[in-house]
Amino acid sequence: MSVAEPRRIVLFRHAKADWPPVADHERPLAERGRTDAAVAGRKLADSAIAFDLALCSTSTRTRETWKLAVHEFPQRPKTVYEERIYEASPGELIALLNETPDDAQNVLLVGHNPGLQAVAEILAGSAEGDAGERMSRRGYPAAAFAVLSFTGSWKSLEPGVATLLDYWAPSE
């Protein structure tokens, strides 16, 4: 693929987690989270984005979210479980995306807040329609995702180069 073709990044926050007496990394999804993860997966499948790569945090709630969401996809992308996503800063998440091979056009990152919302805000130099306003108003609740687009190599991904194409949250 040419670096002149637009690339898409979907920043997908894990669905609603439960609070059992376990370490934070091991928290599972709550019942509502399981439902919302599948709904988000259907919404992503309806977007017709053909994902080449999914980067997923190693936490229990992100792995469960991804498993339920990807079940709705017509084709499962290559999935990499990446421990650096858990508790990552926005800069660390952008650095991770900078490592993406240029043969990947569309990447989905399943992770956590506040990092994902911050990355969406930092990367988006512009927004289409009311996507930016909706994201600002709603925040980044569990199971929300933002779709961004940029042109260039993954190494060139930096603040302000992307366009926020869409935003979705379970209450939308």
Side-chain angles (χ1 to χ4, degrees), residues 10-167:
V10 173
L11 302 170
F12 181 20
R13 183 179 177 194
H14 66 77
K16 175 96 175 128
D18 204 353
W19 289 93
V22 297
D24 182 70
H25 190 271
E26 307 311 315
R27 288 176 44 221
L29 290 180
E31 188 60 41
R32 188 182 101 207
R34 287 189 282 280
T35 300
D36 288 350
V39 171
R42 282 192 295 280
K43 186 74 173 169
L44 284 166
D46 290 346
S47 76
I49 298 171
F51 293 103
D52 302 300
L53 176 64
L55 300 170
C56 184
S57 168
T58 56
S59 76
T60 299
R61 59 192 177 272
T62 50
R63 288 183 288 116
E64 288 180 354
T65 297
W66 178 233
K67 181 180 177 184
L68 292 163
V70 76
H71 182 73
E72 303 294 329
F73 287 28
Q75 184 174 330
R76 182 185 179 103
K78 176 183 177 185
T79 301
V80 175
Y81 294 95
E82 176 57 67
E83 60 189 34
R84 293 180 291 170
I85 296 171
Y86 182 72
E87 296 186 337
S89 70
E92 291 167 330
L93 291 172
I94 293 169
L96 179 64
L97 288 166
N98 289 150
E99 296 174 11
T100 302
D102 278 331
D103 61 353
Q105 181 177 0
N106 301 314
V107 174
L108 186 142
L109 191 152
V110 187
H112 310 267
N113 240 13
L116 291 185
Q117 180 175 358
V119 169
E121 291 169 349
I122 289 167
L123 292 178
S126 62
E128 288 191 354
D130 67 347
E133 189 273 322
R134 286 186 295 119
M135 189 171 77
S136 293
R137 184 180 68 241
R138 290 280 300 125
Y140 224 86
F145 63 82
V147 181
L148 297 109
S149 177
F150 78 102
T151 303
S153 71
W154 287 102
K155 287 177 180 54
S156 71
L157 182 64
E158 62 183 33
V161 301
T163 300
L164 178 64
L165 299 177
D166 197 9
Y167 166 81

